[in-house]
Amino acid sequence: MLTAHMLGKQYKTEWALRPLTLQLGTGLHGLLGPNGAGKSTLLRLFAGMLAPTTGDALLRGSSVRDFRRNGGRIGYLPQNMRVLPQFTARQWLLHAASLQSKASLKERMLIVDDVLEQVNLRSEADVPARSYSFGMIKRLGVAQALLSASDLLIVDEPTAGLDPEERIRLRRVLAEAAATRVVLLSTHVLGDIGASCREVIVLGRGRLMYHGSTQGLAGFAEDRTWAWETSENEWRRMPLDGLLSARKTDEGILCRALSERSPSPFAQRVEPTMEEGYLALMGHQDHQEAGGLF
Amino acid sequence: MHIMLRQAAMELRSLMLLRWTLLLPAAAAVWMILHTWRLRPESSQDVNLYAADTHIMLLMLTTAIPLLLGVLLIRRDLLHPSAEWLFRLPVSAGGWMASKWLAGFAYMTLYTAAVSAAYAASALRHGVPLYSIWRQIGLYALMYEQAFALSLALGLFLGVLLPLRFSLPAAFCAWVFGSLFLQTYIRPVYELGWLKAFYLQPLFNNSLIGNEAWSFILAKGELLRILLFGAIFAIFLLTAGAALLGRSKPPLNRRRPWLLTLAALLAATAAFLPFSSLNMERNEHRQQLEAAAAKPGELQEPAPYRFQLDRMKLQVDSLPEQTGFEALATLDIPTVHGKLLPAEGNVLLYRKENTVSLLLYPSLEVRSVELNGVPITWERQGDRIQFSEDLLNHYQYTQTVEITYNGQLDEWLSGAGGSESYLAFTRKNALYLPASLGWYPLPGGDTLLALGEDQHLLDRPASNITPNTEYEVVLSGFDTQLFGTIQNEEISSASTRFQGVSDSGLTVVGGRFQRIKLPSEPIEIVTTPGNADEANEFLKRFAERRRGLETLTGTPLNSVRQIFFFPMHLIGTPMATPSITRSWYAENDTLFIPQTEHRNLDSYAEDALSTLLLFGDTGRGAENARKEAVAKPSVALEIRSAYAYLYNKESGDKDPYRLQADETPEWKAIQTLIDAAYARGHAGLIHEVLAGFRKSGLTLPEPPRNAAGEWLAADAVPYITIDDFMREWRKLMPDDKLPAMPQDEGG
């Protein structure tokens, strides 16, 4: 169990993350928010790599900065990752494994082989990292984070730069990891969260906007999501405010929009997706801060 | 701990996998090989001497590596956010710093190992004994590792303190400062001895290094104190670095790392105290010596104050403490009607009217003084032991003075330019007791020490003159073989007796020296193990020359018993006695050759020894001796040259005996005479003429000394004109006439 109690970070007078309280259980949790929302700050606070200004994050009741207790329980994969180019993936992972447990070399090699298989890096495991592509380094990062994370796995934009096949593979790996751990996944790809996460956390401008199920997030767009089909000429004359998508069909253009009022006489309310819920939530915040009504 | 060690292993592996990092230690080894493998035949063949110089340069350059390496090892993790994930590894901040330090230190040890192996290969090639090689490796390895440990910790600290690119120039400046600037400028100029503890390169400008027999023994006390401080100061730097690393790897308790840093700082401060107190002791001791030293303007020529001494009996027992000894000196002083007799000249001057003054080194404590078996009232004033002349028995020719004294000699001095040396020292396993320092009571004189114009202490090498005095000195309890300037015999494993007549007292040296001797040559050489081969070769060569010279003179040449040949820059007054440290000199039956790379047992040493055997002086400064333009200059040097000329002519030695005056018109004339007589088959007559002059004295008078007792260049020669020479020549070859002399270009 990962808990955050009044966890906040302030730089001089600016709050990067206003104090928030959270409880995350075993499973995959998505973290959403626009750029500058405080996602990376929250992840680094959870990873114990940033000292909080207020509160603390606890894993199984002890601070994530307590290296004595939690040193080997937390795996962290930052958005951008660099490895020592002279090491091979196997060398590096064997080292990471040796820091985690007192297992014999043979056992460690089996563990490492398994992780390499999971991230599809086995065939390049003995090649120095200087020849790795961006995606391979990312996969190596995921592998080391998996090795290090017996209780908490924090991954920041793990699928960025991966091809679709690898992205799907990674989702599966994270889902497997989430069976026994708390996995916190930060991404801009809402599809990744929709596909794998049970719960989602939304941050906006350093505040906790939402923490709950993905369906709950979609609920923010309930009664405000519209869909209709229109001709191309009419579509050209339409205002684009609130328009979410426009897909050409054989009969015309199928539009979806987020709006308080019906954007077209032919528009009908439809079931919102998580992404629409997220946009509605963010639009609600912008509107509130602008002093207007949503 | 195992996590930290595994992390250290990973860090080390990361260094090794860079490949080029392995080339650098190899390059250092090659440097050592280049400077020690093949020695120039005309220079010293002591590989340890060259190795010492090479170590200085190598350590100065290689100290930059751990500094920059420390910065790079930290910057690699801190400079870019993409590497911050490394800090999530289960290694604490302290463990992080420690692992990098361990890895860097292990890597730097490759330099020590490579340089040591290269030195060992060269030393073995030059026949240096294994025990000597091990000692040298041990000493220098300690210095290297100390320098690397501290530099690496400083580099890591700077890397954390200044994680941006500025840290690299900062490390470079730290290297320049700690490896060059402190040693060459700040410490010598401001005379801040305690700064030595902060040297990153302890060999540079270290004048105590380079003597295989003594360096480590003399430097050990200071070295170990600095080592202790350096180790704890390095821990302080690492804990401070770990505390600063908390910016990237925040600790649970923010104060704890800083409290640990504070504790390490306090420990480093405490560890500094032993070295600091050593410095303070030295400074206090120096002040005491300065108080006993003659000030500029107060110096007197010592000779008129010296009185005759017939016999000196001395028993010196080493005390269990490392540097202490106790002694009983018995002096038989001749008197007439209760009055002292002048040692030189006709008049004895008194430093204090009606008072007998003996000189004893001020550090030595006098316990009792007895005169003719009766305790007497005496007083000690600086280096003087004084009692009333009225106490002397007016009806007794020989007055017996017994003095018991004790103390320790560890007479470290620092001179201008920051150079250091020992005036004297006694350790269980090494000692240097120069006769002139007054380690036994000397019969009068001026003072034993003087203050130079620059307020630095000087010894007074002329203080030891005791014409025609019989010595019997027994030194007991020292754990090393002793060598002295008077004939000695080992009376037991722990006692050595020196017995004989000496005009210049007794100088004793002890330590890891070897006595090199050959059946074919009576002269022995006392030297360091690294010089054994060269000394053997020299003796073989000199045996040939001796035969030639003895044939020439028709007499055995046995005034020299031994040669002391080893680096002597670390004894005597620091940098103020070039006449001692840079030139050979004779004391009683011993020739001192202060070894350097270019002052060795070469043909010049052969010439000096030949001159000493033939004429009783080493020929020092002879080239400047006849500088005064007089109508009839002395041809003493030309006559001396004639010996060399004849030797070369008769022996065909491939290393000719150099002529001291081979350009003067007088020499040209004498050479013409010799050649003509030789052609006539009158070699025997030439020998006879020369022998006459040699018998009447061709010795250069003792070179003058300045007021502090330092030798100046010789400025006089025995006055023998060309007319005197021709007169003697014609007694045996009356038909010869003085050839026409070409105009002397020098006037």
PDB file of all heavy atoms in Angstrom, chain B residues 151-181:
ATOM      1  N   SER B 151      43.125  12.918  -3.185  1.00  0.00           N
ATOM      2  CA  SER B 151      42.737  13.613  -4.423  1.00  0.00           C
ATOM      3  C   SER B 151      41.390  13.122  -4.923  1.00  0.00           C
ATOM      4  O   SER B 151      40.556  13.902  -5.378  1.00  0.00           O
ATOM      5  CB  SER B 151      43.785  13.399  -5.501  1.00  0.00           C
ATOM      6  OG  SER B 151      45.035  13.825  -5.060  1.00  0.00           O
ATOM      7  N   LEU B 152      41.183  11.823  -4.824  1.00  0.00           N
ATOM      8  CA  LEU B 152      39.926  11.252  -5.304  1.00  0.00           C
ATOM      9  C   LEU B 152      38.755  11.755  -4.459  1.00  0.00           C
ATOM     10  O   LEU B 152      37.708  12.139  -4.993  1.00  0.00           O
ATOM     11  CB  LEU B 152      40.024   9.730  -5.244  1.00  0.00           C
ATOM     12  CG  LEU B 152      38.885   8.955  -5.874  1.00  0.00           C
ATOM     13  CD1 LEU B 152      38.797   9.227  -7.364  1.00  0.00           C
ATOM     14  CD2 LEU B 152      39.087   7.462  -5.654  1.00  0.00           C
ATOM     15  N   ALA B 153      38.953  11.765  -3.137  1.00  0.00           N
ATOM     16  CA  ALA B 153      37.889  12.256  -2.254  1.00  0.00           C
ATOM     17  C   ALA B 153      37.593  13.722  -2.568  1.00  0.00           C
ATOM     18  O   ALA B 153      36.425  14.135  -2.606  1.00  0.00           O
ATOM     19  CB  ALA B 153      38.301  12.092  -0.798  1.00  0.00           C
ATOM     20  N   LEU B 154      38.649  14.499  -2.829  1.00  0.00           N
ATOM     21  CA  LEU B 154      38.448  15.913  -3.153  1.00  0.00           C
ATOM     22  C   LEU B 154      37.706  16.046  -4.478  1.00  0.00           C
ATOM     23  O   LEU B 154      36.808  16.889  -4.618  1.00  0.00           O
ATOM     24  CB  LEU B 154      39.813  16.623  -3.212  1.00  0.00           C
ATOM     25  CG  LEU B 154      39.772  18.118  -3.509  1.00  0.00           C
ATOM     26  CD1 LEU B 154      38.960  18.867  -2.461  1.00  0.00           C
ATOM     27  CD2 LEU B 154      41.185  18.695  -3.561  1.00  0.00           C
ATOM     28  N   GLY B 155      38.066  15.230  -5.451  1.00  0.00           N
ATOM     29  CA  GLY B 155      37.393  15.267  -6.755  1.00  0.00           C
ATOM     30  C   GLY B 155      35.917  14.937  -6.610  1.00  0.00           C
ATOM     31  O   GLY B 155      35.055  15.618  -7.181  1.00  0.00           O
ATOM     32  N   LEU B 156      35.596  13.917  -5.837  1.00  0.00           N
ATOM     33  CA  LEU B 156      34.196  13.532  -5.643  1.00  0.00           C
ATOM     34  C   LEU B 156      33.430  14.656  -4.944  1.00  0.00           C
ATOM     35  O   LEU B 156      32.297  14.983  -5.311  1.00  0.00           O
ATOM     36  CB  LEU B 156      34.119  12.244  -4.812  1.00  0.00           C
ATOM     37  CG  LEU B 156      34.550  10.966  -5.532  1.00  0.00           C
ATOM     38  CD1 LEU B 156      34.745   9.827  -4.539  1.00  0.00           C
ATOM     39  CD2 LEU B 156      33.531  10.553  -6.577  1.00  0.00           C
ATOM     40  N   PHE B 157      34.092  15.243  -3.957  1.00  0.00           N
ATOM     41  CA  PHE B 157      33.447  16.337  -3.226  1.00  0.00           C
ATOM     42  C   PHE B 157      33.150  17.507  -4.169  1.00  0.00           C
ATOM     43  O   PHE B 157      32.046  18.056  -4.162  1.00  0.00           O
ATOM     44  CB  PHE B 157      34.354  16.786  -2.075  1.00  0.00           C
ATOM     45  CG  PHE B 157      33.869  18.009  -1.362  1.00  0.00           C
ATOM     46  CD1 PHE B 157      32.785  17.947  -0.497  1.00  0.00           C
ATOM     47  CD2 PHE B 157      34.490  19.236  -1.557  1.00  0.00           C
ATOM     48  CE1 PHE B 157      32.326  19.081   0.153  1.00  0.00           C
ATOM     49  CE2 PHE B 157      34.036  20.373  -0.911  1.00  0.00           C
ATOM     50  CZ  PHE B 157      32.951  20.294  -0.045  1.00  0.00           C
ATOM     51  N   LEU B 158      34.147  17.871  -4.973  1.00  0.00           N
ATOM     52  CA  LEU B 158      33.940  18.983  -5.905  1.00  0.00           C
ATOM     53  C   LEU B 158      32.851  18.640  -6.915  1.00  0.00           C
ATOM     54  O   LEU B 158      32.063  19.499  -7.316  1.00  0.00           O
ATOM     55  CB  LEU B 158      35.250  19.305  -6.643  1.00  0.00           C
ATOM     56  CG  LEU B 158      36.329  19.995  -5.809  1.00  0.00           C
ATOM     57  CD1 LEU B 158      37.627  20.096  -6.600  1.00  0.00           C
ATOM     58  CD2 LEU B 158      35.878  21.370  -5.357  1.00  0.00           C
ATOM     59  N   GLY B 159      32.808  17.381  -7.322  1.00  0.00           N
ATOM     60  CA  GLY B 159      31.802  16.943  -8.279  1.00  0.00           C
ATOM     61  C   GLY B 159      30.395  17.111  -7.732  1.00  0.00           C
ATOM     62  O   GLY B 159      29.473  17.485  -8.450  1.00  0.00           O
ATOM     63  N   VAL B 160      30.217  16.844  -6.444  1.00  0.00           N
ATOM     64  CA  VAL B 160      28.886  16.999  -5.845  1.00  0.00           C
ATOM     65  C   VAL B 160      28.600  18.467  -5.546  1.00  0.00           C
ATOM     66  O   VAL B 160      27.497  18.949  -5.739  1.00  0.00           O
ATOM     67  CB  VAL B 160      28.774  16.198  -4.525  1.00  0.00           C
ATOM     68  CG1 VAL B 160      27.347  16.206  -4.030  1.00  0.00           C
ATOM     69  CG2 VAL B 160      29.226  14.782  -4.729  1.00  0.00           C
ATOM     70  N   LEU B 161      29.649  19.158  -5.106  1.00  0.00           N
ATOM     71  CA  LEU B 161      29.467  20.567  -4.724  1.00  0.00           C
ATOM     72  C   LEU B 161      29.131  21.411  -5.947  1.00  0.00           C
ATOM     73  O   LEU B 161      28.272  22.285  -5.897  1.00  0.00           O
ATOM     74  CB  LEU B 161      30.748  21.084  -4.062  1.00  0.00           C
ATOM     75  CG  LEU B 161      30.713  22.498  -3.508  1.00  0.00           C
ATOM     76  CD1 LEU B 161      29.789  22.589  -2.307  1.00  0.00           C
ATOM     77  CD2 LEU B 161      32.121  22.950  -3.111  1.00  0.00           C
ATOM     78  N   LEU B 162      29.816  21.143  -7.025  1.00  0.00           N
ATOM     79  CA  LEU B 162      29.637  21.946  -8.245  1.00  0.00           C
ATOM     80  C   LEU B 162      29.288  21.006  -9.396  1.00  0.00           C
ATOM     81  O   LEU B 162      30.129  20.696 -10.225  1.00  0.00           O
ATOM     82  CB  LEU B 162      30.932  22.690  -8.584  1.00  0.00           C
ATOM     83  CG  LEU B 162      31.600  23.459  -7.455  1.00  0.00           C
ATOM     84  CD1 LEU B 162      33.047  23.748  -7.785  1.00  0.00           C
ATOM     85  CD2 LEU B 162      30.852  24.748  -7.201  1.00  0.00           C
ATOM     86  N   PRO B 163      28.055  20.531  -9.430  1.00  0.00           N
ATOM     87  CA  PRO B 163      27.761  19.501 -10.423  1.00  0.00           C
ATOM     88  C   PRO B 163      27.776  20.008 -11.865  1.00  0.00           C
ATOM     89  O   PRO B 163      27.761  19.213 -12.789  1.00  0.00           O
ATOM     90  CB  PRO B 163      26.368  19.008 -10.027  1.00  0.00           C
ATOM     91  CG  PRO B 163      25.783  20.083  -9.202  1.00  0.00           C
ATOM     92  CD  PRO B 163      26.893  20.839  -8.579  1.00  0.00           C
ATOM     93  N   LEU B 164      27.789  21.297 -12.052  1.00  0.00           N
ATOM     94  CA  LEU B 164      27.799  21.805 -13.429  1.00  0.00           C
ATOM     95  C   LEU B 164      29.217  21.752 -13.983  1.00  0.00           C
ATOM     96  O   LEU B 164      30.142  21.285 -13.345  1.00  0.00           O
ATOM     97  CB  LEU B 164      27.243  23.226 -13.449  1.00  0.00           C
ATOM     98  CG  LEU B 164      25.784  23.306 -12.975  1.00  0.00           C
ATOM     99  CD1 LEU B 164      25.318  24.736 -12.973  1.00  0.00           C
ATOM    100  CD2 LEU B 164      24.888  22.443 -13.831  1.00  0.00           C
ATOM    101  N   ARG B 165      29.382  22.273 -15.169  1.00  0.00           N
ATOM    102  CA  ARG B 165      30.667  22.127 -15.850  1.00  0.00           C
ATOM    103  C   ARG B 165      31.811  22.835 -15.121  1.00  0.00           C
ATOM    104  O   ARG B 165      32.968  22.570 -15.379  1.00  0.00           O
ATOM    105  CB  ARG B 165      30.551  22.663 -17.284  1.00  0.00           C
ATOM    106  CG  ARG B 165      29.549  21.886 -18.077  1.00  0.00           C
ATOM    107  CD  ARG B 165      29.549  22.222 -19.528  1.00  0.00           C
ATOM    108  NE  ARG B 165      28.354  21.671 -20.153  1.00  0.00           N
ATOM    109  CZ  ARG B 165      28.178  20.400 -20.432  1.00  0.00           C
ATOM    110  NH1 ARG B 165      29.111  19.542 -20.143  1.00  0.00           N
ATOM    111  NH2 ARG B 165      27.069  19.967 -20.992  1.00  0.00           N
ATOM    112  N   PHE B 166      31.462  23.735 -14.224  1.00  0.00           N
ATOM    113  CA  PHE B 166      32.485  24.481 -13.504  1.00  0.00           C
ATOM    114  C   PHE B 166      33.346  23.561 -12.635  1.00  0.00           C
ATOM    115  O   PHE B 166      34.470  23.895 -12.273  1.00  0.00           O
ATOM    116  CB  PHE B 166      31.812  25.546 -12.645  1.00  0.00           C
ATOM    117  CG  PHE B 166      32.777  26.439 -11.935  1.00  0.00           C
ATOM    118  CD1 PHE B 166      33.620  27.266 -12.666  1.00  0.00           C
ATOM    119  CD2 PHE B 166      32.858  26.451 -10.558  1.00  0.00           C
ATOM    120  CE1 PHE B 166      34.529  28.089 -12.027  1.00  0.00           C
ATOM    121  CE2 PHE B 166      33.753  27.273  -9.912  1.00  0.00           C
ATOM    122  CZ  PHE B 166      34.594  28.096 -10.645  1.00  0.00           C
ATOM    123  N   SER B 167      32.793  22.390 -12.320  1.00  0.00           N
ATOM    124  CA  SER B 167      33.536  21.498 -11.410  1.00  0.00           C
ATOM    125  C   SER B 167      34.848  21.022 -12.024  1.00  0.00           C
ATOM    126  O   SER B 167      35.822  20.796 -11.298  1.00  0.00           O
ATOM    127  CB  SER B 167      32.685  20.300 -11.012  1.00  0.00           C
ATOM    128  OG  SER B 167      32.250  19.620 -12.163  1.00  0.00           O
ATOM    129  N   LEU B 168      34.901  20.881 -13.330  1.00  0.00           N
ATOM    130  CA  LEU B 168      36.139  20.397 -13.954  1.00  0.00           C
ATOM    131  C   LEU B 168      37.271  21.427 -13.849  1.00  0.00           C
ATOM    132  O   LEU B 168      38.363  21.089 -13.406  1.00  0.00           O
ATOM    133  CB  LEU B 168      35.897  19.998 -15.401  1.00  0.00           C
ATOM    134  CG  LEU B 168      35.304  18.586 -15.568  1.00  0.00           C
ATOM    135  CD1 LEU B 168      34.962  18.311 -17.010  1.00  0.00           C
ATOM    136  CD2 LEU B 168      36.248  17.527 -15.042  1.00  0.00           C
ATOM    137  N   PRO B 169      37.018  22.694 -14.237  1.00  0.00           N
ATOM    138  CA  PRO B 169      38.088  23.674 -13.990  1.00  0.00           C
ATOM    139  C   PRO B 169      38.428  23.834 -12.522  1.00  0.00           C
ATOM    140  O   PRO B 169      39.587  24.066 -12.171  1.00  0.00           O
ATOM    141  CB  PRO B 169      37.536  24.990 -14.580  1.00  0.00           C
ATOM    142  CG  PRO B 169      36.174  24.726 -15.028  1.00  0.00           C
ATOM    143  CD  PRO B 169      35.938  23.249 -15.045  1.00  0.00           C
ATOM    144  N   ALA B 170      37.409  23.674 -11.663  1.00  0.00           N
ATOM    145  CA  ALA B 170      37.691  23.774 -10.213  1.00  0.00           C
ATOM    146  C   ALA B 170      38.636  22.646  -9.796  1.00  0.00           C
ATOM    147  O   ALA B 170      39.567  22.863  -9.007  1.00  0.00           O
ATOM    148  CB  ALA B 170      36.394  23.703  -9.422  1.00  0.00           C
ATOM    149  N   ALA B 171      38.405  21.451 -10.331  1.00  0.00           N
ATOM    150  CA  ALA B 171      39.280  20.315  -9.996  1.00  0.00           C
ATOM    151  C   ALA B 171      40.681  20.551 -10.541  1.00  0.00           C
ATOM    152  O   ALA B 171      41.673  20.223  -9.892  1.00  0.00           O
ATOM    153  CB  ALA B 171      38.702  19.029 -10.565  1.00  0.00           C
ATOM    154  N   PHE B 172      40.750  21.117 -11.722  1.00  0.00           N
ATOM    155  CA  PHE B 172      42.063  21.407 -12.315  1.00  0.00           C
ATOM    156  C   PHE B 172      42.822  22.392 -11.419  1.00  0.00           C
ATOM    157  O   PHE B 172      44.018  22.216 -11.143  1.00  0.00           O
ATOM    158  CB  PHE B 172      41.881  21.976 -13.724  1.00  0.00           C
ATOM    159  CG  PHE B 172      43.177  22.339 -14.386  1.00  0.00           C
ATOM    160  CD1 PHE B 172      43.984  21.360 -14.936  1.00  0.00           C
ATOM    161  CD2 PHE B 172      43.600  23.664 -14.445  1.00  0.00           C
ATOM    162  CE1 PHE B 172      45.198  21.692 -15.532  1.00  0.00           C
ATOM    163  CE2 PHE B 172      44.796  23.998 -15.028  1.00  0.00           C
ATOM    164  CZ  PHE B 172      45.593  23.016 -15.579  1.00  0.00           C
ATOM    165  N   CYS B 173      42.104  23.431 -10.978  1.00  0.00           N
ATOM    166  CA  CYS B 173      42.748  24.420 -10.094  1.00  0.00           C
ATOM    167  C   CYS B 173      43.188  23.759  -8.789  1.00  0.00           C
ATOM    168  O   CYS B 173      44.258  24.057  -8.262  1.00  0.00           O
ATOM    169  CB  CYS B 173      41.792  25.575  -9.791  1.00  0.00           C
ATOM    170  SG  CYS B 173      41.446  26.570 -11.234  1.00  0.00           S
ATOM    171  N   ALA B 174      42.334  22.854  -8.278  1.00  0.00           N
ATOM    172  CA  ALA B 174      42.691  22.151  -7.037  1.00  0.00           C
ATOM    173  C   ALA B 174      43.963  21.350  -7.242  1.00  0.00           C
ATOM    174  O   ALA B 174      44.822  21.284  -6.358  1.00  0.00           O
ATOM    175  CB  ALA B 174      41.550  21.234  -6.614  1.00  0.00           C
ATOM    176  N   TRP B 175      44.090  20.757  -8.410  1.00  0.00           N
ATOM    177  CA  TRP B 175      45.307  19.975  -8.709  1.00  0.00           C
ATOM    178  C   TRP B 175      46.537  20.880  -8.742  1.00  0.00           C
ATOM    179  O   TRP B 175      47.563  20.585  -8.134  1.00  0.00           O
ATOM    180  CB  TRP B 175      45.141  19.253 -10.046  1.00  0.00           C
ATOM    181  CG  TRP B 175      46.410  18.631 -10.532  1.00  0.00           C
ATOM    182  CD1 TRP B 175      47.102  17.631  -9.927  1.00  0.00           C
ATOM    183  CD2 TRP B 175      47.158  18.996 -11.694  1.00  0.00           C
ATOM    184  NE1 TRP B 175      48.229  17.332 -10.643  1.00  0.00           N
ATOM    185  CE2 TRP B 175      48.287  18.155 -11.734  1.00  0.00           C
ATOM    186  CE3 TRP B 175      46.982  19.933 -12.693  1.00  0.00           C
ATOM    187  CZ2 TRP B 175      49.236  18.233 -12.738  1.00  0.00           C
ATOM    188  CZ3 TRP B 175      47.917  20.003 -13.708  1.00  0.00           C
ATOM    189  CH2 TRP B 175      49.030  19.170 -13.713  1.00  0.00           C
ATOM    190  N   VAL B 176      46.419  21.987  -9.454  1.00  0.00           N
ATOM    191  CA  VAL B 176      47.557  22.906  -9.552  1.00  0.00           C
ATOM    192  C   VAL B 176      47.930  23.410  -8.161  1.00  0.00           C
ATOM    193  O   VAL B 176      49.103  23.456  -7.786  1.00  0.00           O
ATOM    194  CB  VAL B 176      47.218  24.094 -10.495  1.00  0.00           C
ATOM    195  CG1 VAL B 176      48.306  25.147 -10.454  1.00  0.00           C
ATOM    196  CG2 VAL B 176      47.013  23.594 -11.913  1.00  0.00           C
ATOM    197  N   PHE B 177      46.894  23.730  -7.404  1.00  0.00           N
ATOM    198  CA  PHE B 177      47.134  24.281  -6.077  1.00  0.00           C
ATOM    199  C   PHE B 177      47.764  23.236  -5.148  1.00  0.00           C
ATOM    200  O   PHE B 177      48.767  23.496  -4.488  1.00  0.00           O
ATOM    201  CB  PHE B 177      45.792  24.756  -5.503  1.00  0.00           C
ATOM    202  CG  PHE B 177      45.939  25.712  -4.367  1.00  0.00           C
ATOM    203  CD1 PHE B 177      46.254  27.035  -4.607  1.00  0.00           C
ATOM    204  CD2 PHE B 177      45.762  25.299  -3.059  1.00  0.00           C
ATOM    205  CE1 PHE B 177      46.395  27.923  -3.560  1.00  0.00           C
ATOM    206  CE2 PHE B 177      45.892  26.177  -2.007  1.00  0.00           C
ATOM    207  CZ  PHE B 177      46.204  27.496  -2.269  1.00  0.00           C
ATOM    208  N   GLY B 178      47.152  22.039  -5.139  1.00  0.00           N
ATOM    209  CA  GLY B 178      47.587  21.021  -4.186  1.00  0.00           C
ATOM    210  C   GLY B 178      48.830  20.265  -4.597  1.00  0.00           C
ATOM    211  O   GLY B 178      49.480  19.644  -3.763  1.00  0.00           O
ATOM    212  N   SER B 179      49.162  20.300  -5.880  1.00  0.00           N
ATOM    213  CA  SER B 179      50.320  19.521  -6.335  1.00  0.00           C
ATOM    214  C   SER B 179      51.533  20.383  -6.664  1.00  0.00           C
ATOM    215  O   SER B 179      52.622  19.862  -6.816  1.00  0.00           O
ATOM    216  CB  SER B 179      49.948  18.710  -7.576  1.00  0.00           C
ATOM    217  OG  SER B 179      48.969  17.791  -7.252  1.00  0.00           O
ATOM    218  N   LEU B 180      51.317  21.667  -6.839  1.00  0.00           N
ATOM    219  CA  LEU B 180      52.430  22.529  -7.245  1.00  0.00           C
ATOM    220  C   LEU B 180      52.555  23.784  -6.387  1.00  0.00           C
ATOM    221  O   LEU B 180      53.604  24.074  -5.822  1.00  0.00           O
ATOM    222  CB  LEU B 180      52.215  22.988  -8.698  1.00  0.00           C
ATOM    223  CG  LEU B 180      52.404  21.967  -9.797  1.00  0.00           C
ATOM    224  CD1 LEU B 180      51.807  22.495 -11.081  1.00  0.00           C
ATOM    225  CD2 LEU B 180      53.879  21.732 -10.002  1.00  0.00           C
ATOM    226  N   PHE B 181      51.442  24.503  -6.324  1.00  0.00           N
ATOM    227  CA  PHE B 181      51.497  25.852  -5.783  1.00  0.00           C
ATOM    228  C   PHE B 181      51.800  25.864  -4.282  1.00  0.00           C
ATOM    229  O   PHE B 181      52.616  26.667  -3.812  1.00  0.00           O
ATOM    230  CB  PHE B 181      50.156  26.533  -6.069  1.00  0.00           C
ATOM    231  CG  PHE B 181      50.213  28.028  -6.009  1.00  0.00           C
ATOM    232  CD1 PHE B 181      51.106  28.728  -6.798  1.00  0.00           C
ATOM    233  CD2 PHE B 181      49.376  28.727  -5.163  1.00  0.00           C
ATOM    234  CE1 PHE B 181      51.154  30.110  -6.736  1.00  0.00           C
ATOM    235  CE2 PHE B 181      49.416  30.100  -5.098  1.00  0.00           C
ATOM    236  CZ  PHE B 181      50.309  30.797  -5.886  1.00  0.00           C
TER     237      PHE B 181
END
